[in-house]
Amino acid sequence: MIRSLAFVTLMIVMAGTASAQEPFRVVRAPEPPKIDGVLDDVTWAQITPMPTGEWVSYQPNRGDKMPDAFRTDVRIAFDDRNIYFAFHCFDNEPDKIRTNVARRDSSFNDDWFALSLDSAGSGQSAYHLFTNPSGSQMDALNTSASGEQFDADMLWYSAARTTKDGYVVEVQIPLQTLRFTGSDEVRMGLVFFRKISRTGVSYAWPEMLPGQWVFDRPSHLTFSNLKPRRLVELLPSVTYNISQARETNERWAPSDDKYNFGASGKFGITSGITLDGTINPDFSQVESDAFQVQVNQRFPVFFSEKRPFFMEGMGLFNIAGTGGDGNMRTAVHTRRIIDPIFGTKLTGTIGKTTFGVLNAADDQPDVLDPTPEHAERNKVYTIGRATYALRRSDYFGGIVTHTYHDGRDNLVAGGDVSMRLSSSQMFNATFLASQTNEPAAPRTSGNAVQAMYGYETRRINFGTQIEHYDRDFQMDTAFYNRTGFTAGWSFGGMNFYPKSGTAFWLQRVQGFYFTKIGYDDIQGGDEAMLNAGVRFNLTRQGFINISHIRGHEPWQGTDYAFSNDLNVFARMQVTRWLNVFGGRGSGLSIFYDPVDHFQGRSVFANLGVEIQPNSHLTQSIEGNFVRFDREATGERVYSVDIVNSRTTYQFDKHFLVRLIANYDSSSRRVLTDLLASYELVPGTVFHAGYGSLYEKGVDFPGEATVVGAGPPPPPTAADPNNKYLMLNRGLFLKASYVHRF
């Protein structure tokens, strides 16, 4: 009886989180509106604004009502090809609106308006489309397992203009971009967001309560007789590369040039299932990886995926409990597929089931034994993922990954579950089992398991996770730090909000802690860490974070201490044109050498600035600096200085010129990357770029120092090793065109 009452009570609480909004019936457009940021079309004149009610803040504070000065009118229409939105965002101080003409996904410090559309009505995934007052776009696919993934670029259209009473945004979403099942009555979930840059506050309608996902309480749209349009898309591409490497201090090797012709395509098998394929793809990266500190890192450094075929829809392949403070960053890290010969991807939704299957063959597998006989054989990847929707954003799912290369195969299978126990509580768990067969070696197997619980209200934020990885667990497709350990972490925070008018610049104060304990079976010892501090959220998107860290961990059988005596990090949009951030910390550290390991002391700092003197030009510079000394003697072991600079001039939202310059003192390298890029829509692009790599102190074959001859003499002004020398240079041209039938 007690169990039954508890179950009924839980269902009542969960039911109370459902949206009380009545579905809004969208009317058919009498004629397609012109997407130009001006609401003078016949369609908008005949449509009454949607009754949205009160907008409520969700970041950094929750529960504050949007001031009347920021009233927002919303109009929606549709026809047989598109869904249209028109937003009039009022502002009684329009001269303080912050906006820039910017490349995609780079305007989050501006004022912006966004819509989140669950076109399938499943509560499991949604399209997040953002537009700033200059019409620059930002977009993401939001899923229950992965959250917002900004990797993919979707095809949609927007235009915006500032006005004397705020700004206006128009959005056009082709039905071919969306996944839904056509019927006489089509129902979609919808949430709106708006950010006021000068206050740093973001608002939503309907209200997003603490601890809830974006589609736990959505509003709903209904469309009469809305039919999906089959997606058939072809994207041919051509790339020309010419590169050259230096043979000696005085001579370049002959240039190496090549053409690459490839093609990608999409075919809508049904309204909810799409097949993607690519043959002989060009996976050259237009965007260079920014340098990161890689000296004395115990765990591998993560670099994000930047290749379009793998970026799109990859959030579907992630599993619960990854991407946060745990051991596994992602279960499918496609940068492990270095040079695919081909790739296919089948994704879709049938009823409550969402699935994806990815296949690829890698022509340059990253193997531990890169001998010619291994390197000449392709590595084949097969990945399958499926989730079944329960209630709202709740689901359970399964994943299978398999890789095969030259007699070695790695198979991983597992499942995960994610549930919101109440309006403020969530729980997820994952189990993975691996089996690896090596040629002429015993078969190995291992398991990985994690469970996470979270609790969030306006006042309290708490989360905890436990995880275990066997020694022999291997997952070739994933990115994770280590195996052979058992650990658990916990985070807790309490929020305090100053009364209105007492401190206009201070929005929230949060005291927090983060602690972790565990046992490392491979290193042979216990580990523990405590991070405690306070965070101040300020106006102008600012914050100051102050904390103290202390802990210990085993390395090669020795227990070492680590600490950060006073860790300070801050960021603020000081003016419309200036954003600054920086931080500093120091304390005990560990030198992670397999043989010569010892206790050290480090000092680290970073400083960054972004300057936007006008709406077209952006200059950003970020520096990271590390000093590491031996604790026993004070001897300097190493120092690393890394500076990343990016200069972008955006002529309009389609055409830009960008210069990247990266400096790394540890490898004595300077990378420069100049790019001119024109993007009409995602997929229809033209890039022209030039890159070069400089390095200091290079010894070429026949010029190296003789072993045993003692240290080399100090470099002199006449010594070529005393200056940075260009080692590689290259020019590339790339063009692609997307055509939808």
Side-chain angles (χ1 to χ4, degrees):
M1 181 64 179
I2 294 176
R3 288 185 177 179
S4 299
L5 289 174
F7 178 80
V8 171
T9 301
L10 178 61
M11 291 299 102
I12 292 174
V13 172
M14 294 175 68
T17 66
S19 173
Q21 298 292 334
E22 291 295 326
F24 177 77
R25 183 167 295 279
V26 183
V27 301
R28 185 172 289 272
E31 62 181 55
K34 184 179 180 181
I35 306 302
D36 57 3
V38 180
L39 305 184
D40 58 356
D41 303 273
V42 172
T43 294
W44 302 133
Q46 297 182 6
I47 293 179
T48 303
M50 181 179 181
T52 57
E54 288 189 318
W55 293 58
V56 182
S57 67
Y58 66 92
Q59 180 65 31
N61 299 347
R62 287 190 181 271
D64 295 337
K65 309 300 182 185
M66 177 186 281
D68 293 338
F70 302 125
R71 177 172 64 88
T72 306
D73 287 348
V74 178
R75 292 174 171 85
I76 311 174
F78 78 101
D79 57 26
D80 291 336
R81 291 181 174 270
N82 304 284
I83 299 177
Y84 306 97
F85 293 86
F87 311 107
H88 192 159
C89 302
F90 291 89
D91 192 323
N92 63 350
E93 297 179 290
D95 57 319
K96 295 183 179 180
I97 293 173
R98 186 180 190 276
T99 185
N100 293 277
V101 180
R103 62 189 177 91
R104 185 180 292 266
D105 297 337
S106 61
S107 302
F108 287 103
N109 288 333
D110 291 352
D111 285 69
W112 49 253
F113 191 92
L115 64 96
S116 184
L117 186 65
D118 176 13
S119 59
S122 64
Q124 299 295 305
S125 64
Y127 302 93
H128 284 197
L129 310 180
F130 302 72
T131 308
N132 74 354
S134 297
S136 299
Q137 295 182 350
M138 300 159 283
D139 50 14
L141 180 66
N142 194 10
T143 63
S144 299
S146 302
E148 286 183 320
Q149 299 288 315
F150 286 90
D151 299 334
D153 295 333
M154 289 160 278
L155 201 158
W156 55 291
Y157 305 93
S158 64
R161 294 190 184 187
T162 54
T163 63
K164 62 181 181 181
D165 57 358
Y167 65 94
V168 170
V169 175
E170 285 184 286
V171 170
Q172 174 185 325
I173 309 176
L175 296 183
Q176 287 180 308
T177 298
L178 304 175
R179 289 181 177 173
F180 64 94
T181 301
S183 68
D184 293 338
E185 292 289 322
V186 174
R187 183 181 173 106
M188 300 184 183
L190 181 69
V191 180
F192 294 126
F193 308 94
R194 181 178 173 184
K195 179 179 179 180
I196 313 301
S197 175
R198 63 183 178 273
T199 64
V201 179
S202 298
Y203 300 89
W205 180 87
E207 179 182 3
M208 287 183 59
L209 297 177
Q212 294 191 352
W213 193 59
V214 65
F215 278 114
D216 283 339
R217 302 176 67 255
S219 60
H220 290 95
L221 305 177
T222 59
F223 301 83
S224 297
N225 196 29
L226 184 66
K227 304 300 181 184
R229 295 181 61 84
R230 184 184 298 274
L231 176 60
V232 180
E233 181 178 290
L234 181 63
L235 196 156
S237 65
V238 58
T239 304
Y240 172 71
N241 289 279
I242 180 170
S243 59
Q244 199 171 25
R246 186 178 291 275
E247 285 186 337
T248 69
N249 287 321
E250 292 80 23
R251 186 175 66 251
W252 287 90
S255 60
D256 178 23
D257 61 324
K258 62 179 181 179
Y259 292 90
N260 186 88
F261 296 93
S264 299
K266 297 176 183 289
F267 178 72
I269 299 174
T270 69
S271 60
I273 302 175
T274 302
L275 175 65
D276 292 69
T278 182
I279 300 174
N280 193 28
D282 164 49
F283 282 122
S284 60
Q285 288 183 197
V286 172
E287 186 79 4
S288 298
D289 290 320
F291 285 178
Q292 300 183 53
V293 177
Q294 301 189 60
V295 177
N296 192 32
Q297 299 293 314
R298 176 176 180 181
F299 302 127
V301 177
F302 181 84
F303 291 94
S304 299
E305 179 62 86
K306 301 177 185 296
R307 300 169 297 181
F309 175 79
F310 288 126
M311 290 162 60
E312 184 175 357
M314 288 308 297
L316 299 172
F317 290 85
N318 213 350
I319 58 176
T322 59
D325 296 300
N327 182 56
M328 184 176 288
R329 178 74 175 258
T330 176
V332 180
H333 184 43
T334 51
R335 281 193 67 148
R336 298 194 181 281
I337 308 173
I338 299 172
D339 185 15
I341 303 168
F342 71 87
T344 63
K345 185 168 53 179
L346 181 69
T347 57
T349 300
I350 301 176
K352 294 186 176 182
T353 301
T354 301
F355 64 91
V357 179
L358 172 68
N359 289 276
D362 191 358
D363 194 34
Q364 296 184 17
D366 184 13
V367 295
L368 297 177
D369 181 19
T371 55
E373 57 268 25
H374 284 281
E376 290 178 0
R377 294 178 171 86
N378 301 327
K379 188 172 184 177
V380 180
Y381 289 78
T382 304
I383 303 167
R385 169 69 167 153
T387 63
Y388 183 81
L390 299 172
R391 191 172 185 272
R392 300 191 312 276
S393 59
D394 300 347
Y395 74 89
F396 68 83
I399 187 170
V400 177
T401 70
H402 181 259
T403 62
Y404 179 84
H405 179 252
D406 197 27
R408 178 190 182 276
D409 72 274
N410 172 246
L411 175 66
V412 179
D416 61 329
V417 61
S418 177
M419 301 188 69
R420 296 194 177 271
L421 305 177
S422 69
S423 61
S424 57
Q425 300 180 83
M426 61 81 63
F427 169 81
N428 66 58
T430 304
F431 175 80
L432 299 169
S434 74
Q435 178 177 288
T436 305
N437 297 308
E438 300 273 4
R443 175 184 298 176
T444 60
S445 60
N447 299 325
V449 61
Q450 74 83 26
M452 180 186 295
Y453 170 81
Y455 176 84
E456 184 179 359
T457 65
R458 189 173 187 267
R459 179 71 67 181
I460 298 173
N461 188 3
F462 171 80
T464 185
Q465 182 184 44
I466 57 173
E467 53 186 347
H468 169 80
Y469 285 75
D470 289 342
R471 274 176 172 261
D472 293 326
F473 176 82
Q474 296 182 60
M475 190 172 186
D476 288 0
T477 64
F479 185 96
Y480 52 90
N481 292 328
R482 54 177 173 157
T483 59
F485 76 97
T486 303
W489 61 259
S490 172
F491 171 84
M494 181 165 287
N495 301 314
F496 301 91
Y497 304 92
K499 293 182 179 180
S500 178
T502 58
F504 70 92
W505 52 272
L506 182 62
Q507 296 178 326
R508 181 179 67 176
V509 179
Q510 182 189 63
F512 66 87
Y513 78 89
F514 178 87
T515 185
K516 187 173 185 177
I517 59 173
Y519 180 79
D520 192 321
D521 187 45
I522 294 177
Q523 301 301 329
D526 297 321
E527 58 187 31
M529 185 267 283
L530 174 64
N531 178 11
V534 61
R535 180 184 180 97
F536 302 91
N537 284 95
L538 314 174
T539 57
R540 296 186 179 274
Q541 308 176 62
F543 69 85
I544 302 174
N545 202 91
I546 304 172
S547 66
H548 173 80
I549 302 173
R550 189 165 297 275
H552 67 91
E553 66 176 323
W555 179 254
Q556 301 297 322
T558 303
D559 189 61
Y560 288 105
F562 62 86
S563 66
N564 191 334
D565 299 328
L566 184 63
N567 184 31
V568 180
F569 185 77
R571 177 186 290 271
M572 176 169 283
Q573 185 74 43
V574 181
T575 68
R576 293 181 69 254
W577 58 270
L578 178 63
N579 185 288
V580 296
F581 61 91
R584 185 188 183 279
S586 63
L588 294 174
S589 299
I590 306 165
F591 191 72
Y592 295 107
D593 187 275
V595 179
D596 184 24
H597 45 89
F598 53 85
Q599 186 77 70
R601 179 171 289 274
S602 65
V603 178
F604 51 90
N606 79 309
L607 178 65
V609 60
E610 183 178 82
I611 302 172
Q612 295 177 301
N614 57 52
S615 62
H616 298 274
L617 178 63
T618 302
Q619 171 66 63
S620 62
I621 302 176
E622 180 178 1
N624 290 275
F625 315 99
V626 179
R627 305 290 182 266
F628 187 95
D629 301 333
R630 187 183 290 266
E631 172 70 7
T633 63
E635 173 193 3
R636 176 62 47 85
V637 179
Y638 64 82
S639 61
V640 179
D641 301 320
I642 290 179
V643 179
N644 294 311
S645 171
R646 177 194 296 269
T647 307
T648 304
Y649 192 88
Q650 192 89 33
F651 293 88
D652 55 36
K653 66 180 182 179
H654 302 292
F655 178 53
L656 67 85
V657 175
R658 185 218 63 204
L659 173 64
I660 291 177
N662 299 333
Y663 165 74
D664 182 352
S665 68
S666 62
S667 59
R668 298 186 293 183
R669 288 185 170 187
V670 173
L671 174 71
T672 63
D673 189 339
L674 177 64
L675 174 73
S677 176
Y678 182 85
E679 179 184 71
L680 181 62
V681 295
T684 300
V685 298
F686 176 79
H687 303 298
Y690 174 80
S692 59
L693 177 66
Y694 295 80
E695 193 166 330
K696 187 176 182 179
V698 180
D699 288 321
F700 291 96
E703 302 176 343
T705 303
V706 178
V707 176
T716 64
D719 186 348
N721 288 342
N722 192 39
K723 64 180 181 180
Y724 279 88
L725 192 65
M726 184 188 294
L727 297 184
N728 300 94
R729 59 190 180 188
L731 172 71
F732 81 94
L733 302 172
K734 176 179 179 179
S736 63
Y737 174 75
V738 61
H739 180 71
R740 285 186 169 180
F741 296 90

